[in-house]
Amino acid sequence: MSTLSTPETAAQNATEALDARYGTPWNAPLPAWNTTLDTLLAHRSVRNYAKKPLPEGTLETLIAAAQSASTSSNLQTWSVVAVEDPERKARLSKLAADQSQVREAPLFLVWLADLNRLEAAAQRTSASAEGLHYMETLLVGVIDAALAAQNAVVALESLGLSSVYIGAIRNQPEQVAAELGLPPRVMPVFGLCVGYADESRPAQVKPRLPQSVVLHREQYDAPTQTEGIAQYDEVMGAFQTAQGLSAAGWTSRSLARWRSRESLHGRDRLRDALQALGFELR
């Protein structure tokens, strides 16, 4: 259970964490604060890992945390493959845009939307499983996998570990499936590097969009977003500059990410890949 800080410490922790998360001074009332919020607000993506093994039992603890996440109708339509073999990590790295962190992290988790388990249960009991072949059911599996993975991330960060999601695991999903020996109707959704951060190359908390952009009260309010996005472009430009990168703001960087079919890096054919993996997607 989270422990409450003293009022003075809590206020200082809250202010520092919220200022860092948004890149601007926090001007809303401060809530009660605890160590869980410290962990959540301090999240950052870590791409450089120390050559340090994980303590025994870490993987099992993370999976217990993942299985404690909410799951639609208790269907638990997700699985995960833990990869520690250096050669397999190297092959998966090549399939995921050759990202070095996949090779460097001591543990690489590939999170899966898994409908095979329910289909196998239906076959064993001679039950109908027509509903497994619809888009809705795949979406349930993807959501289940994401909820489970984020629970694991919170857990690992509470243990002093770091991580980064690898969406590029979807660049070549059929090849990933072959590497991991996935049965039909199991989709690799994303990867997750896990390890101790290399303190010589620290990662920083990246500011997020202002709440005025993402928080809508009662009904969606598109016109109010313009000012907040303009402000965020300035915040992100300054953050990028401080990181030694180009001063491009969020708008230009985000639009560049979707500028063409080629910018999807193979994921433009995801529907075809899913069909090859046994998903009918009615």
Side-chain angles (χ1 to χ4, degrees):
M1 181 178 294
S2 303
T3 57
L4 293 175
S5 306
T6 65
E8 295 78 11
T9 302
Q12 180 178 355
N13 289 347
T15 299
E16 291 176 356
L18 291 163
D19 286 355
R21 179 49 68 201
Y22 292 105
T24 55
W26 179 256
N27 55 15
L30 290 176
W33 206 253
N34 55 46
T35 55
T36 298
L37 291 170
D38 283 334
T39 299
L40 289 169
L41 270 291
H43 169 75
R44 64 206 71 193
S45 294
V46 171
R47 294 175 174 82
N48 300 298
Y49 293 91
K51 296 185 182 300
K52 180 179 177 181
L54 304 183
E56 187 175 353
T58 297
L59 172 61
E60 293 80 2
T61 300
L62 298 184
I63 299 308
Q67 289 189 280
S68 299
S70 298
T71 169
S72 180
S73 300
N74 199 36
L75 294 172
Q76 303 176 70
T77 49
W78 66 274
S79 292
V80 61
V81 177
V83 180
E84 298 176 286
D85 178 66
E87 293 183 359
R88 178 162 283 116
K89 286 191 296 178
R91 292 193 294 270
L92 289 170
S93 172
K94 289 291 186 182
L95 294 174
D98 201 25
Q99 296 186 62
S100 61
Q101 58 265 33
V102 176
R103 300 187 297 272
E104 293 176 3
L107 174 63
F108 185 59
L109 300 175
V110 182
W111 298 86
L112 313 168
D114 186 349
L115 304 186
N116 179 272
R117 184 161 51 239
L118 286 174
E119 182 174 62
Q123 292 174 348
R124 287 196 304 271
T125 59
S126 300
S128 173
E130 180 184 0
L132 291 177
H133 304 296
Y134 286 82
M135 178 71 77
E136 160 64 12
T137 316
L138 174 59
L139 184 59
V140 166
V142 171
I143 293 170
D144 268 10
L147 293 173
Q150 189 58 26
N151 251 33
V153 167
V154 175
L156 68 88
E157 289 179 344
S158 76
L159 296 171
L161 296 165
S162 297
S163 65
V164 62
Y165 283 104
I166 305 295
I169 209 71
R170 298 189 303 278
N171 286 10
Q172 302 181 66
E174 299 105 317
Q175 291 88 334
V176 171
E179 177 65 43
L180 300 179
L182 303 184
R185 284 165 289 287
V186 178
M187 171 195 175
V189 181
F190 46 76
L192 184 72
C193 298
V194 180
Y196 288 99
D198 181 349
E199 298 299 339
S200 69
R201 295 181 288 177
Q204 302 298 319
V205 171
K206 183 178 291 186
R208 295 293 200 244
L209 283 162
Q211 290 193 9
S212 62
V213 175
V214 302
L215 173 61
H216 304 268
R217 298 183 186 273
E218 307 301 340
Q219 288 188 311
Y220 194 94
D221 187 1
T224 62
Q225 296 186 49
T226 304
E227 181 179 350
I229 291 174
Q231 174 190 355
Y232 186 59
D233 279 334
E234 295 181 4
V235 169
M236 279 304 299
F239 178 84
Q240 293 286 110
T241 300
Q243 299 296 304
L245 303 171
S246 68
W250 174 81
T251 299
S252 60
R253 289 177 62 84
S254 297
L255 293 179
R257 175 68 177 78
W258 308 110
R259 68 183 178 274
S260 67
R261 176 178 178 175
E262 288 71 27
S263 68
L264 293 174
H265 303 292
R267 285 175 252 178
D268 55 291
R269 55 173 300 278
L270 185 57
R271 179 186 291 273
D272 293 337
L274 286 170
Q275 291 177 340
L277 293 174
F279 294 93
E280 296 182 25
L281 304 180
R282 297 176 188 170

